[in-house]
Amino acid sequence: MTKRNNLLIFILTIGVFGILNTEMGVIGILPAIADHFHVSVSKAGWLVSFFALVVAVSGPTMPLLFSGINRKKVMLLVLGVFVLGNIVSIFTSNFTILLIARLIPAFFHPIYCSLAFTVAAASVSKEEAPKAVSKVFIGVSAGMVVGVPIASFISSAVSFEMAMAFFAFVNVIVFIATLIFVPSMPVEEGLSYGTQFSVLKKSITWLSIVTVILLNSSIFGVYSYLADYLKTVTNMPSNTISLILFVYGGANIIGNIVGGKLLTKNAKKFVASFPFVLGIVYILLFLFGQFTLPMAFITLIWGILGGVGGNINQYWLASSAPEAPDFANGLFISSCNVGTTIGAAAGGLFISEMGTQYVVLVGILSLILSLVTILLRNYMYSPTKQLSI
């Protein structure tokens, strides 16, 4: 049974990698896309920003719509849509068609990711669930960070089309593995839409949504500008910047494993301590940002905490609505995208008004606010408080 579970979780991890790789991998080839389609780099950037926007909008609704259908069939449908979108992206010479070929899969993105977390958690005992989910998160981190340099390398070494083919190849492999190795997973107790929507009546759900938005804003509000920070504040050469970004990505994967283990111990205390630890890292970043060696070490620790933060976000929302896991995971995906958008916008504002060095203030402010919502949830939903209520 354990072997079968491990194989299932491994397939889900690679599946999530393929989906996130399709979303984020194009960041590494935006200049090549701009050249190929004769558009500006900022217009090519629509392939990333519009994708994220569609994911944020469809996050709560799409997993809900497909929540009553056999999970294996839904996974195959989503992977099939991604494979088709990737194939169209390879062969089209029209930028508008490329944009459409990316936006249609974006609607299906939250379904697969939400299902992957739900299925991984359900395949083990309740206590071991955070650990199983943390393994799937390795796919998220790898897709967001490792996919970018791989796509960039393939594009520069071979061609833009081959980089797009890499996205398709990963999704085809997962489609075949799902078809052969994943057992049929009919939904035994289909929850009504009303039952799932009713979790939005609970204050714990809204407190958790706000916390996830703030925590993601605290990480991505600063990380979005890490390359710029390393260039302008630390004065690093571009090849060293690439290496440091890779270090952050690798550390992110370590953070996923660490986060999963720590959440199975004492989740509430662990989550409450997170803003303090990341806050200290940001203060050190501000104080020692101009020194190369300290900056490399700080980025390593920050990367680990970034991975831990992703696990915390998923756990915090899933545990607030255990009666509707698919919907809760959809809300998690949506909240993360909203947090990333707000954080990146706020970071850009701080940079234009005060300078690149002050982008850390976005992270620190977001962490202070997230601490308030974390402590409020811990207080309102502590066992003693519940008994008195």
Side-chain angles (χ1 to χ4, degrees):
M1 185 63 187
T2 317
K3 257 188 181 176
R4 207 169 110 186
N5 280 354
N6 285 344
L7 179 64
L8 175 63
I9 289 169
F10 178 71
I11 291 170
L12 293 172
T13 304
I14 305 297
V16 169
F17 168 70
I19 301 268
L20 266 293
N21 188 28
T22 300
E23 178 183 2
M24 306 300 286
V26 295
I27 291 172
I29 55 171
L30 284 181
I33 291 170
D35 283 349
H36 188 84
F37 291 94
H38 309 293
V39 294
S40 64
V41 173
S42 60
K43 193 172 180 180
W46 292 359
L47 298 171
V48 181
S49 53
F50 282 18
F51 196 109
L53 193 64
V54 170
V55 172
V57 172
S58 62
T61 51
M62 290 296 275
L64 198 66
L65 287 173
F66 286 83
S67 60
I69 305 168
N70 185 307
R71 284 168 171 171
K72 179 175 178 173
K73 288 179 182 172
V74 176
M75 284 180 190
L76 289 170
L77 169 71
V78 177
L79 291 164
V81 169
F82 266 79
V83 170
L84 284 172
N86 291 148
I87 290 169
V88 172
S89 300
I90 297 166
F91 294 106
T92 185
S93 55
N94 182 304
F95 183 75
T96 309
I97 292 172
L98 176 70
L99 196 58
I100 294 165
R102 279 182 59 77
L103 293 187
I104 292 170
F107 280 101
F108 290 84
H109 172 298
I111 302 169
Y112 189 92
C113 293
S114 163
L115 266 185
F117 297 134
T118 307
V119 170
S123 70
V124 292
S125 66
K126 194 182 173 187
E127 295 72 34
E128 291 294 303
K131 220 181 270 187
V133 169
S134 75
K135 288 176 182 171
V136 177
F137 252 103
I138 293 172
V140 176
S141 294
M144 291 181 78
V145 191
V146 181
V148 176
I150 292 174
S152 179
F153 172 76
I154 295 170
S155 178
S156 57
V158 192
S159 70
F160 146 77
E161 287 90 349
M162 283 308 288
M164 286 296 202
F166 164 63
F167 305 151
F169 175 73
V170 177
N171 288 313
V172 167
I173 293 294
V174 181
F175 183 92
I176 295 164
T178 305
L179 193 64
I180 298 168
F181 299 110
V182 173
S184 177
M185 289 184 279
V187 179
E188 273 122 37
E189 295 171 28
L191 292 172
S192 69
Y193 294 156
T195 305
Q196 297 189 70
F197 270 123
S198 67
V199 303
L200 293 173
K201 292 178 184 170
K202 302 193 302 180
S203 55
I204 187 171
T205 308
W206 287 103
L207 268 175
S208 304
I209 287 170
V210 174
T211 304
V212 170
I213 290 171
L214 289 167
L215 283 177
N216 228 48
S217 165
S218 75
I219 293 166
F220 283 92
V222 188
Y223 172 67
S224 300
Y225 302 97
L226 176 56
D228 184 45
Y229 197 94
L230 294 170
K231 185 182 172 186
T232 55
V233 179
T234 321
N235 291 317
M236 276 187 188
S238 56
N239 57 345
T240 314
I241 292 173
S242 301
L243 181 67
I244 296 291
L245 290 173
F246 213 75
V247 165
Y248 182 95
N252 229 260
I253 293 169
I254 296 166
N256 293 147
I257 299 159
V258 171
K261 285 182 177 169
L262 291 172
L263 281 167
T264 55
K265 303 271 168 62
N266 188 334
K268 284 188 173 182
K269 277 184 184 171
F270 172 54
V271 175
S273 66
F274 182 79
F276 290 103
V277 180
L278 185 56
I280 291 165
V281 169
Y282 281 160
I283 290 164
L284 293 172
L285 189 70
F286 183 78
L287 296 174
F288 300 100
Q290 63 267 50
F291 305 108
T292 302
L293 264 176
M295 193 60 198
F297 180 70
I298 290 164
T299 305
L300 175 71
I301 304 301
W302 178 20
I304 292 171
L305 291 172
V308 168
N311 281 68
I312 285 175
N313 284 339
Q314 192 279 334
Y315 170 82
W316 213 233
L317 248 172
S319 62
S320 74
E323 67 274 34
D326 291 343
F327 186 49
N329 281 322
L331 288 172
F332 152 70
I333 293 161
S334 199
S335 304
C336 281
N337 278 277
V338 171
T340 301
T341 308
I342 291 171
L349 204 64
F350 271 82
I351 288 170
S352 61
E353 293 297 319
M354 301 168 78
T356 305
Q357 194 177 359
Y358 293 91
V359 73
V360 294
L361 293 177
V362 174
I364 291 167
L365 287 170
S366 299
L367 287 170
I368 292 167
L369 293 171
S370 72
L371 184 63
V372 174
T373 58
I374 290 166
L375 294 177
L376 196 59
R377 180 183 139 160
N378 280 356
Y379 170 72
M380 285 173 70
Y381 295 92
S382 66
T384 50
K385 185 79 180 162
Q386 291 292 78
L387 284 173
S388 67
I389 289 168

